[in-house]
Short mmCIF file of all heavy atoms in Angstrom, two decimals:
data_model
loop_
_atom_site.label_atom_id
_atom_site.label_comp_id
_atom_site.label_asym_id
_atom_site.label_seq_id
_atom_site.Cartn_x
_atom_site.Cartn_y
_atom_site.Cartn_z
N GLU A 156 11.86 20.11 -18.42
CA GLU A 156 11.39 20.33 -19.78
C GLU A 156 12.24 19.57 -20.79
O GLU A 156 11.76 19.17 -21.85
CB GLU A 156 11.40 21.82 -20.11
CG GLU A 156 10.37 22.61 -19.30
CD GLU A 156 10.41 24.08 -19.66
OE1 GLU A 156 11.23 24.44 -20.53
OE2 GLU A 156 9.62 24.86 -19.09
N ASP A 157 13.53 19.36 -20.47
CA ASP A 157 14.41 18.67 -21.42
C ASP A 157 14.45 17.18 -21.18
O ASP A 157 15.24 16.46 -21.78
CB ASP A 157 15.83 19.25 -21.34
CG ASP A 157 16.42 19.12 -19.94
OD1 ASP A 157 15.71 18.60 -19.05
OD2 ASP A 157 17.58 19.51 -19.76
N GLY A 158 13.56 16.68 -20.26
CA GLY A 158 13.51 15.25 -20.01
C GLY A 158 14.38 14.81 -18.86
O GLY A 158 14.28 13.69 -18.39
N ASP A 159 15.28 15.70 -18.38
CA ASP A 159 16.10 15.36 -17.23
C ASP A 159 15.28 15.48 -15.97
O ASP A 159 14.26 16.15 -15.92
CB ASP A 159 17.31 16.31 -17.13
CG ASP A 159 18.30 16.09 -18.26
OD1 ASP A 159 18.34 14.95 -18.77
OD2 ASP A 159 19.00 17.05 -18.62
N CYS A 160 15.76 14.81 -14.92
CA CYS A 160 15.08 14.96 -13.63
C CYS A 160 15.40 16.34 -13.08
O CYS A 160 16.53 16.80 -13.14
CB CYS A 160 15.55 13.89 -12.64
SG CYS A 160 14.89 12.27 -13.00
N GLY A 161 14.40 16.99 -12.51
CA GLY A 161 14.62 18.31 -11.93
C GLY A 161 13.76 18.48 -10.72
O GLY A 161 13.12 17.54 -10.26
N ASN A 162 13.69 19.67 -10.17
CA ASN A 162 12.78 19.94 -9.06
C ASN A 162 12.13 21.30 -9.28
O ASN A 162 12.29 21.91 -10.33
CB ASN A 162 13.53 19.88 -7.72
CG ASN A 162 14.70 20.84 -7.67
OD1 ASN A 162 14.73 21.83 -8.38
ND2 ASN A 162 15.67 20.53 -6.83
N ASP A 163 11.39 21.74 -8.31
CA ASP A 163 10.65 22.99 -8.47
C ASP A 163 11.52 24.23 -8.28
O ASP A 163 11.07 25.34 -8.46
CB ASP A 163 9.49 23.02 -7.47
CG ASP A 163 8.46 21.95 -7.78
OD1 ASP A 163 8.36 21.57 -8.95
OD2 ASP A 163 7.78 21.50 -6.85
N ILE A 164 12.78 24.02 -7.89
CA ILE A 164 13.66 25.15 -7.64
C ILE A 164 14.59 25.31 -8.85
O ILE A 164 15.23 24.35 -9.28
CB ILE A 164 14.50 24.93 -6.37
CG1 ILE A 164 13.57 24.75 -5.17
CG2 ILE A 164 15.45 26.08 -6.15
CD1 ILE A 164 14.32 24.39 -3.91
N HIS A 165 14.63 26.50 -9.40
CA HIS A 165 15.50 26.74 -10.55
C HIS A 165 16.67 27.61 -10.13
O HIS A 165 16.50 28.68 -9.57
CB HIS A 165 14.74 27.43 -11.69
CG HIS A 165 15.61 27.73 -12.87
ND1 HIS A 165 16.08 26.75 -13.70
CD2 HIS A 165 16.10 28.91 -13.33
CE1 HIS A 165 16.83 27.30 -14.65
NE2 HIS A 165 16.86 28.60 -14.45
N ILE A 166 17.88 27.12 -10.40
CA ILE A 166 19.09 27.88 -10.10
C ILE A 166 19.75 28.23 -11.41
O ILE A 166 20.12 27.34 -12.19
CB ILE A 166 20.05 27.04 -9.21
CG1 ILE A 166 19.33 26.57 -7.94
CG2 ILE A 166 21.29 27.85 -8.87
CD1 ILE A 166 20.18 25.65 -7.09
N THR A 167 19.89 29.51 -11.67
CA THR A 167 20.46 29.98 -12.93
C THR A 167 21.87 29.43 -13.12
O THR A 167 22.70 29.48 -12.23
CB THR A 167 20.51 31.52 -12.95
OG1 THR A 167 19.19 32.03 -12.74
CG2 THR A 167 21.05 32.00 -14.29
N GLY A 168 22.11 28.88 -14.31
CA GLY A 168 23.43 28.37 -14.63
C GLY A 168 23.69 26.96 -14.17
O GLY A 168 24.78 26.44 -14.36
N VAL A 169 22.69 26.33 -13.55
CA VAL A 169 22.87 24.97 -13.03
C VAL A 169 21.84 24.07 -13.70
O VAL A 169 20.65 24.39 -13.73
CB VAL A 169 22.68 24.93 -11.50
CG1 VAL A 169 22.80 23.50 -10.99
CG2 VAL A 169 23.70 25.83 -10.82
N SER A 170 22.30 22.93 -14.25
CA SER A 170 21.38 22.02 -14.91
C SER A 170 20.43 21.39 -13.90
O SER A 170 20.69 21.39 -12.69
CB SER A 170 22.14 20.91 -15.64
OG SER A 170 22.69 20.00 -14.70
N GLN A 171 19.33 20.85 -14.40
CA GLN A 171 18.34 20.25 -13.51
C GLN A 171 18.89 19.03 -12.79
O GLN A 171 18.57 18.79 -11.63
CB GLN A 171 17.08 19.92 -14.29
CG GLN A 171 16.36 21.17 -14.77
CD GLN A 171 15.17 20.86 -15.66
OE1 GLN A 171 15.09 19.80 -16.27
NE2 GLN A 171 14.24 21.79 -15.74
N ILE A 172 19.73 18.24 -13.48
CA ILE A 172 20.35 17.09 -12.82
C ILE A 172 21.26 17.57 -11.70
O ILE A 172 21.29 16.99 -10.61
CB ILE A 172 21.13 16.24 -13.84
CG1 ILE A 172 20.17 15.53 -14.78
CG2 ILE A 172 22.02 15.23 -13.12
CD1 ILE A 172 20.85 14.67 -15.83
#
Side-chain angles (χ1 to χ4, degrees):
E156 292 180 0
D157 58 359
D159 291 333
C160 286
N162 57 24
D163 294 333
I164 301 174
H165 178 71
I166 305 175
T167 303
V169 178
S170 73
Q171 292 175 337
I172 290 180

